[in-house]
Amino acid sequence: MTSTQQKPVLDFDHHSVRAAHHREEVLAEVSGHPIFWTEAHGGYWVVTSHALIKRVLRDHELFSSHKTPEMTGGDTIPTVIGPRLIPAEVDPPYHRTLRKLLTPKFHNKAVEKLLPQLETLIVEAVDEAVAKGEFDIVHDIANRIPAGSMVVYLGFPEEERVPFIKSVQAALDVMPYASDPDFAQSPKMAEGMAALGHAVGVIQALMAERKANPTDDVVSHLVNPEFEIPDDDIKIGRAHV
């Protein structure tokens, strides 16, 4: 869809401070329009109805998630400069292949094996937050439990888990601004890219270890030679979980 002649053009930016802090007000303004155009970030279409969202998600030929080497497309607006997010920024049939390979490691029985470790992680995070008396829900809970659960699930050694999470978070903080020429040359951007390099290095080391000495974790599963998944896709995919 390339013409805005018959569709409304609204003042909308999902990255704006107003959208973040006045969510209900913004939703009330846009929810009456099943589809509209916004000029933010160079212009993009927004759909708000269940039927249209379902169509967008199911029609990968018209609404592709593929991110090109030229840094166009993908799942972010604006497109984040950097490697594509795996599996989010690939289309079928490769997306279906990745989902099929991952399914055995995400069914109920596989998750149940990790319950003792996950319970320990959650209890420790909550206990530490309570002990402080005053805490930040994002820093002390949201940043620790989801990310911590994933690095446990992937099979990272305990001593690498916190540094790895911090490196990925530091990289993701700067990547949305990499297309800004001024920011791209800033010390902050250099720090973020160094953090990404550290995270990828940790993943490379873990992949090499699991190829030599496989266990029952997700990384061991993905590096199995029979799946023929490129190492770069495994590295970037694990860096963005």
Side-chain angles (χ1 to χ4, degrees):
M1 197 175 294
T2 58
S3 172
T4 62
Q5 293 180 356
Q6 297 180 348
K7 303 299 179 186
V9 179
L10 303 184
D11 181 14
F12 174 78
D13 179 359
H14 61 297
H15 288 306
S16 68
V17 173
R18 181 167 180 261
H21 295 283
H22 301 279
R23 183 170 179 270
E24 296 302 324
E25 182 180 315
V26 172
L27 286 177
E29 293 175 1
V30 304
S31 60
H33 304 280
I35 182 170
F36 66 88
W37 176 263
T38 173
E39 299 290 349
H41 307 292
Y44 60 97
W45 291 99
V46 180
V47 294
T48 65
S49 76
H50 180 265
L52 285 176
I53 291 171
K54 205 160 70 167
R55 179 186 172 192
V56 168
L57 292 175
R58 291 181 174 179
D59 189 346
H60 66 272
E61 292 184 1
L62 185 58
F63 303 103
S64 173
S65 296
H66 179 67
K67 183 177 183 179
T68 71
E70 293 74 33
M71 297 297 111
T72 61
D75 277 354
T76 63
I77 299 174
T79 300
V80 172
I81 303 299
R84 62 182 180 174
L85 307 179
I86 303 291
E89 294 186 326
V90 297
D91 288 331
Y94 189 39
H95 187 273
R96 283 194 291 267
T97 298
L98 293 173
R99 286 189 62 184
K100 184 177 180 180
L101 294 179
L102 285 168
T103 296
K105 304 304 293 184
F106 285 87
H107 57 54
N108 289 343
K109 289 184 179 180
V111 174
E112 285 172 0
K113 292 181 181 179
L114 289 171
L115 283 180
Q117 294 182 68
L118 297 179
E119 287 176 354
T120 298
L121 170 72
I122 294 167
V123 169
E124 286 179 353
V126 173
D127 284 350
E128 289 177 19
V130 171
K132 289 181 179 181
E134 181 176 299
F135 62 91
D136 186 306
I137 190 67
V138 173
H139 175 76
D140 295 308
I141 301 296
N143 279 355
R144 287 189 60 184
I145 294 177
S149 300
M150 285 309 304
V151 292
V152 168
Y153 201 65
L154 290 171
F156 282 84
E158 187 170 356
E159 65 273 12
E160 290 285 3
R161 292 171 187 171
V162 172
F164 175 79
I165 292 169
K166 289 182 177 179
S167 294
V168 172
Q169 289 172 337
L172 294 178
D173 283 345
V174 301
M175 287 176 69
Y177 310 103
S179 58
D180 181 334
D182 293 330
F183 188 83
Q185 304 302 319
S186 68
K188 186 72 174 176
M189 186 67 192
E191 291 175 9
M193 291 298 96
L196 178 61
H198 174 265
V200 171
V202 172
I203 296 171
Q204 287 176 316
L206 180 61
M207 288 168 58
E209 170 61 24
R210 292 300 184 260
K211 285 180 180 180
N213 302 292
T215 65
D216 192 35
D217 59 37
V218 175
V219 173
S220 297
H221 179 71
L222 292 175
V223 298
N224 188 322
E226 72 173 281
F227 296 148
E228 299 182 341
I229 304 177
D231 281 359
D232 283 347
D233 283 358
I234 298 176
K235 284 185 292 186
I236 299 304
R238 298 316 94 201
H240 290 97
V241 292

